[in-house]
Amino acid sequence: MGVINIPVYVHVVYSNSVENISSAQVNSQISVLNADFRKTNNDANQLPSEFDNAITDSEIEFTLAGTFRYASSNTSWGTNDAVKSAYPPITPETHLNIWVCSIGGGILGYAQFPGGNSSTDGVVIGTQYFGSTGYVAAPFDKGRTGTHEVGHYLNLRHIWGDGRCRQDDFVADTPSSDGPNYGCPSYPTVNCKSNDMTMNYMDYTNDTCMYMFSDGQRNRMRAIFAPGGSRAALAGN
Ligand code: ARG
Ligand code: ZN
Ligand code: CA
């Protein structure tokens, strides 16, 4: 299994002209996904040497297959999949669907893990946290919400396992942690008697302070593309 290419449909749902983001903003998110999943992101050079062996090229790429735009009077969509019922996914078996809309409640984005209902499959990202140019808001203005949510969509858990030290993320090379890190933590940040991988895309740090997937995460993502895997059709298998 070499480089995997995932075709992407982007659904832009807007209630005013500012939310009807430019195609440059849409393209910037695709570029960030490609850089981050191929380890060509130019901030990876900050990595503490402790994690040199863990950082990896996931060999997953993304191609924009279409952008769809919908005007709506709804100004906030929440996290209950309402935006997906209003504007259903297009061929979710073979395409990653991304809805860009105002979610509200300070939520940056949410994703569906593999194996769920196809009618709600995909990723939702708040308009101001989508891409790295245009109508974006610091400190979540570098497109890393997209990287994080697509990580979930490809089966990755948060690195702290959504629990305390013994709660696993099912990835061996992400050190155990007892909760999310926020902002831009200094190195080392010690929890559970090891240094947290705060710069992992699956932590909760600021966009400029996350810049890696680990080899174990790569393997966990790629397993779902194997024949019989939950997203095999997405990779043409
Ligand atoms: N809180 C969201 C989630 O768990 C997204 C976090 C994204 N973080 C970021 N720095 N963009 O799905
Ligand atoms: Zn998350
Ligand atoms: Ca781990």
Side-chain angles (χ1 to χ4, degrees), residues 158-161 167-177:
H158 294 135
I159 52 164
W160 68 97
Q167 191 70 46
D168 203 357
D169 66 349
F170 311 112
V171 171
D173 61 1
T174 55
S176 134
S177 181

Side-chain angles (χ1 to χ4, degrees), residues 1-83:
M1 192 167 25
V3 176
I4 290 161
N5 192 278
I6 299 179
V8 183
Y9 288 133
V10 173
H11 307 272
V12 176
V13 181
Y14 61 93
S15 64
N16 59 52
S17 59
V18 183
E19 286 178 0
N20 189 15
I21 56 169
S22 64
S23 43
Q25 185 168 345
V26 174
N27 289 327
S28 75
Q29 181 65 72
I30 302 297
S31 298
V32 171
L33 290 173
N34 281 315
D36 290 352
F37 283 82
R38 290 306 317 267
K39 207 190 76 175
T40 58
N41 53 303
N42 58 25
D43 50 359
N45 58 357
Q46 305 166 66
L47 188 70
S49 58
E50 174 185 2
F51 301 128
D52 277 352
N53 289 332
I55 190 172
T56 197
D57 171 4
S58 297
E59 291 192 291
I60 299 170
E61 297 185 353
F62 303 84
T63 305
L64 185 63
T67 303
F68 305 88
R69 297 174 182 277
Y70 317 93
S72 165
S73 56
N74 195 348
T75 55
S76 142
W77 288 92
T79 54
N80 65 355
D81 292 333
V83 72

Side-chain angles (χ1 to χ4, degrees), residues 78-145:
T79 54
N80 65 355
D81 292 333
V83 72
K84 303 173 183 176
S85 327
Y87 311 104
I90 301 169
T91 55
E93 296 77 12
T94 53
H95 291 73
L96 162 60
N97 282 253
I98 302 180
W99 291 263
V100 182
C101 62
S102 170
I103 299 173
I107 304 289
L108 305 177
Y110 66 99
Q112 181 166 304
F113 283 96
N117 196 310
S118 64
S119 67
T120 50
D121 202 14
V123 164
V124 183
I125 302 176
T127 313
Q128 288 188 273
Y129 315 117
F130 179 78
S132 59
T133 190
Y135 184 50
V136 289
F140 305 111
D141 55 348
K142 303 295 178 207
R144 261 67 195 258
T145 301

Side-chain angles (χ1 to χ4, degrees), residues 146-223:
T147 302
H148 178 109
E149 300 308 335
V150 173
H152 284 315
Y153 171 85
L154 297 179
N155 213 25
L156 297 187
R157 306 270 157 176
H158 294 135
I159 52 164
W160 68 97
D162 294 308
R164 304 306 298 266
C165 293
R166 298 220 182 125
Q167 191 70 46
D168 203 357
D169 66 349
F170 311 112
V171 171
D173 61 1
T174 55
S176 134
S177 181
D178 71 345
N181 293 290
Y182 296 96
C184 201
S186 58
Y187 174 84
T189 292
V190 183
N191 285 296
C192 313
K193 300 182 179 151
S194 56
N195 298 340
D196 277 4
M197 194 181 274
T198 63
M199 61 298 292
N200 193 287
Y201 297 123
M202 302 315 290
D203 204 336
Y204 267 2
T205 51
N206 289 348
D207 278 17
T208 51
C209 303
M210 50 169 61
Y211 42 82
M212 69 169 292
F213 284 121
S214 76
D215 196 54
Q217 289 175 317
R218 166 197 156 102
N219 294 336
R220 185 169 168 82
M221 289 193 275
R222 292 173 66 89

